Amino acid sequence: MGAMSETPAPSRLNKRMAELGLCSRREADDWIAQGWVKVNGQVAEMGVKVLPSDRIEVDRKAQNQQQQQVTILLHKPMGYVSGQAEDGHEPAVVLINPRTHWREDPSRNRFSPPQLRGLAPAGRLDIDSVGLLVLTQDGRVARQLIGEDSGIEKEYLVRVAYGPVAQDSQAAFPRELLAKLRHGLSLDGQPLKPAKVDWQNPEQLRFVLTEGKKRQIRRMCELVGLKVVGLKRIRIGRVVLGNLPVGQWRYLGADERF
């Protein structure tokens, strides 16, 4: 091995800041543009490359701005899409306003219009599904939930019918197919990661996944002859939907972590 291969390659400052968990890349670019980031004591220029040994300092203004960023938990109803409006369906963010703020929210936060700036869903929940949807201004939260290396669990209750059997699907559904749902299926030519799948009651399965391909649960069920009649996400990491009413939202608490 020559010395060349042992020298760590420099990476862009915004990428390095995201890897360190300081902020998202987009946020880093914003801070660098404002002159809020120093590398080895010098104000950093846009596009600069750094080594792991370089010292990165962030101005308090950036930290204060970050502390004011909100993460919102919404109980998404049917008929809304997670992200951009499509096919005439409204995005879930239109539900974030003072009228729909859950009255029992324990957070001291109060709604203000700047909280909608850059507020984006961290993960999808399709138009026919209900339950917990996270919207955040904080790039660190987005990276934690939907970054390439995210292993955060998402839990769903899924009402299913097996062929013509809508009552007591559990009795009719073969056990070996339940094992297949847990591990052994592929989507888009790729094997799926292991999932926890159990019967919650005779008509409802409980899924716990660590990945989120498009319409994944519906497609998994189709592969084993199950039809999804209803799908509700009830947990992301350690944060649960709880008593949050459908169509209403609350803030992620200061002491809550995914």
Side-chain angles (χ1 to χ4, degrees), residues 161-178 199 202-203 224-226:
Y162 185 52
V165 182
Q167 251 74 48
D168 201 359
S169 315
Q170 180 178 3
F173 189 61
R175 286 195 68 81
E176 61 271 20
L177 290 182
L178 183 64
W199 288 99
E203 279 83 46
V224 295
L226 289 172

Side-chain angles (χ1 to χ4, degrees), residues 37-226:
V37 182
K38 287 182 178 176
V39 176
N40 301 328
Q42 300 292 313
V43 175
E45 297 287 326
M46 212 60 164
V48 70
K49 295 199 167 180
V50 295
L51 291 166
S53 56
D54 286 328
R55 192 175 82 252
I56 298 168
E57 294 168 89
V58 175
D59 195 288
R60 277 208 78 81
K61 288 179 196 152
Q63 292 164 340
N64 292 343
Q65 188 186 67
Q66 201 172 46
Q67 280 162 6
Q68 287 162 17
Q69 291 174 332
V70 296
T71 296
I72 282 172
L73 311 173
L74 170 70
H75 188 162
K76 187 188 92 65
M78 297 262 285
Y80 288 85
V81 290
S82 301
Q84 302 295 318
E86 52 188 77
D87 304 328
H89 295 288
E90 289 187 299
V93 73
V94 302
L95 293 168
I96 310 303
N97 61 61
R99 293 185 308 284
T100 50
H101 187 189
W102 187 34
R103 286 172 63 178
E104 294 178 39
D105 184 352
S107 169
R108 294 212 179 99
N109 264 348
R110 285 291 153 261
F111 179 76
S112 64
Q115 292 170 0
L116 295 173
R117 200 178 301 134
L119 189 68
R124 297 174 56 89
L125 196 55
D126 69 52
I127 192 164
D128 307 318
S129 302
V130 303
L132 184 57
L133 181 68
V134 177
L135 300 134
T136 188
Q137 293 179 312
D138 191 335
R140 295 167 302 172
V141 172
R143 186 182 170 90
Q144 189 187 5
L145 297 189
I146 54 176
E148 289 163 29
D149 46 0
S150 174
I152 286 201
E153 287 188 344
K154 299 176 181 77
E155 183 175 342
Y156 304 79
L157 293 179
V158 186
R159 193 168 289 281
V160 291
Y162 185 52
V165 182
Q167 251 74 48
D168 201 359
S169 315
Q170 180 178 3
F173 189 61
R175 286 195 68 81
E176 61 271 20
L177 290 182
L178 183 64
K180 195 113 183 155
L181 278 175
R182 289 174 179 153
H183 198 208
L185 295 176
S186 294
L187 288 177
D188 309 322
Q190 292 178 316
L192 293 174
K193 293 177 183 173
K196 296 176 193 164
V197 187
D198 299 287
W199 288 99
Q200 180 81 4
N201 59 49
E203 279 83 46
Q204 208 171 38
L205 284 164
R206 187 179 72 93
F207 275 73
V208 180
L209 305 180
T210 56
E211 60 189 333
K213 292 182 182 292
K214 195 168 183 184
R215 296 179 83 81
Q216 178 169 335
I217 290 175
R218 293 173 193 275
R219 291 160 70 200
M220 287 171 75
C221 286
E222 278 166 21
L223 290 174
V224 295
L226 289 172

